[in-house]
Amino acid sequence: MSVINTTLHVLHLADATFQDKPGGSRKYAQETALCMLQEGHAVSFIVPQGRPELPLAEDWNGLQVIRYAAGSPIRRQLELVSAVTALHARQPIDLVIVHFAYTALGFHLSRIGRQLPTLRVFHGPWDLEHAEETGTSGLKNNLVHAVMHTIERTSLRRSGHIVCLSEFMANDARSRFGIPSKGVSIIPGGVDTKRFSPGDRAAARSRFGYRDDEFVVFCVRRLARRMGISNLVEAAAVVREQIPNLRVIIGGKGPLKEELETQIKTRGLEGCVELVGFIPDDELADRYRAADLFVLPTQALEGFGLVILESLGCGTPVLGTPVGAIPDVLRLFDDRMIAQGKTAPELAVSIFKTVGSLPNRGKLSALTARDYSWNDVTAALLRARPDK
């Protein structure tokens, strides 16, 4: 690993920028890139052109964004290698940070990929997440998962060093992909505590029309089975019997939207549970501030959970299921925020208990600001860079 004593040209390889396609891992890439820029480093992104209206090249807040045109899987990988090679010829690259295996395979297999120091951020078990959503039965599914596992293994093993956001992910890299312990560093995610701060809670509640006497539960997630949103809806039906002023706000898009709408209607929760769809980034902090409790009902494979830090930064307590890295993160703040389990009844009981003993909002925000600065995360990330 290297000591940073000069300016670098850092290239991030991802499947999209956060502006193109919001998501936790893309936010991690964006925030660390902006911090690198603030420290005087040159920073570039090379990503697929997800939509035809997106420009092939642009400057976004000082970040150089290069997009390569979509096509067949092989064509996309060739375009990626060509883009990296051309950029390196114009402006020599000192470090490549790979965020997604499937968009970087061509790079890893290429000559330029063997030449450039590469740091891999292992955000989540991509193949297992896919299996969780699609099931593991059938020849086609098994073949797809085997290919995904091979791509992930290739990316991890061809990178000079691996960064994981939690011990849960580091364990996965070591046990399933054979990465030696010395090749893995654990660097947690971060949060922009200027944006995600307590702010004016009363104004936030007024913005969304919440009554003073309502107990507001908030959740923002992709509406997919692994995220456990259905269990949260079911838990709401139980909790409402004891807390009639309960209001559950669920943000996000995904394939389960219609199924969740039907569940809400069938359970008679139309006046209690609301699906608000995609939440714009400039609205998100107020959504956290306005809530009494943020619930993270994940059912499997949570690699870290940046939403935990965003909510805590705003001073809003979190109740998270004991899944993946969630307990490790919450235990550092208050272990009362770890749910008894991940089923709907267990979530309901845990919400009841949390209502009676909510942790101090100011203390939660202060701990988050102290321990999870993006500047500290970025400095650690650059210290972990391999020499080659």
Side-chain angles (χ1 to χ4, degrees), residues 54-239:
L54 293 172
L56 291 177
E58 70 171 324
D59 181 292
W60 184 82
N61 285 357
L63 302 176
Q64 181 181 195
V65 179
I66 299 167
R67 299 181 181 89
Y68 51 93
S72 68
I74 293 177
R75 183 64 184 173
R76 284 199 299 270
Q77 297 301 321
L78 292 174
E79 292 284 350
L80 166 65
V81 173
S82 177
V84 174
T85 303
L87 177 62
H88 185 56
R90 294 194 307 270
Q91 185 181 6
I93 298 165
D94 300 294
L95 173 66
V96 178
I97 301 180
V98 172
H99 294 277
F100 297 91
Y102 59 92
T103 53
L105 180 62
F107 166 77
H108 285 302
L109 297 177
S110 69
R111 181 169 62 180
I112 192 75
R114 292 191 294 272
Q115 293 172 349
L116 296 176
T118 302
L119 183 67
R120 172 67 202 280
V121 181
F122 189 26
H123 292 282
W126 171 52
D127 56 329
L128 295 183
E129 290 173 1
H130 188 270
E132 188 72 23
E133 295 296 332
T134 62
T136 57
S137 61
L139 180 60
K140 181 179 178 181
N141 271 350
N142 288 333
L143 179 60
V144 168
H145 299 149
V147 170
M148 294 173 83
H149 184 274
T150 300
I151 292 172
E152 192 71 79
R153 182 181 60 197
T154 300
S155 177
L156 291 169
R157 292 188 174 182
R158 293 202 175 213
S159 297
H161 195 71
I162 313 299
V163 166
C164 298
L165 278 67
S166 64
E167 177 58 36
F168 170 71
M169 286 309 307
N171 211 31
D172 191 52
R174 293 187 293 254
S175 62
R176 288 202 305 129
F177 298 101
I179 306 299
S181 294
K182 66 180 181 179
V184 179
S185 295
I186 300 175
I187 303 173
V191 64
D192 181 350
T193 52
K194 291 182 179 179
R195 281 191 60 217
F196 297 102
S197 61
D200 189 333
R201 184 164 180 262
R205 287 179 74 91
S206 176
R207 176 180 181 181
F208 304 117
Y210 301 160
R211 298 193 315 271
D212 291 342
D213 67 337
E214 287 182 313
F215 185 84
V216 179
V217 170
F218 177 49
C219 176
V220 59
R221 300 253 76 187
R222 183 170 179 268
L223 304 183
R225 209 161 300 282
R226 180 175 65 87
M227 302 305 182
I229 306 299
S230 178
N231 280 350
L232 175 57
V233 173
E234 199 63 29
V238 178
V239 174

Side-chain angles (χ1 to χ4, degrees), residues 28 122-125 129 164-169 186-191 221 226 296 298 301-310 323-330 332-333 372 374 377:
Y28 179 102
F122 189 26
H123 292 282
E129 290 173 1
C164 298
L165 278 67
S166 64
E167 177 58 36
F168 170 71
M169 286 309 307
I186 300 175
I187 303 173
V191 64
R221 300 253 76 187
R226 180 175 65 87
L296 188 64
T298 310
L301 307 172
E302 189 70 61
F304 185 77
L306 293 180
V307 290
I308 295 175
L309 300 185
E310 292 175 350
V323 171
I326 295 174
D328 295 336
V329 178
L330 290 179
L332 298 174
F333 293 88
Y372 291 96
W374 277 122
V377 170

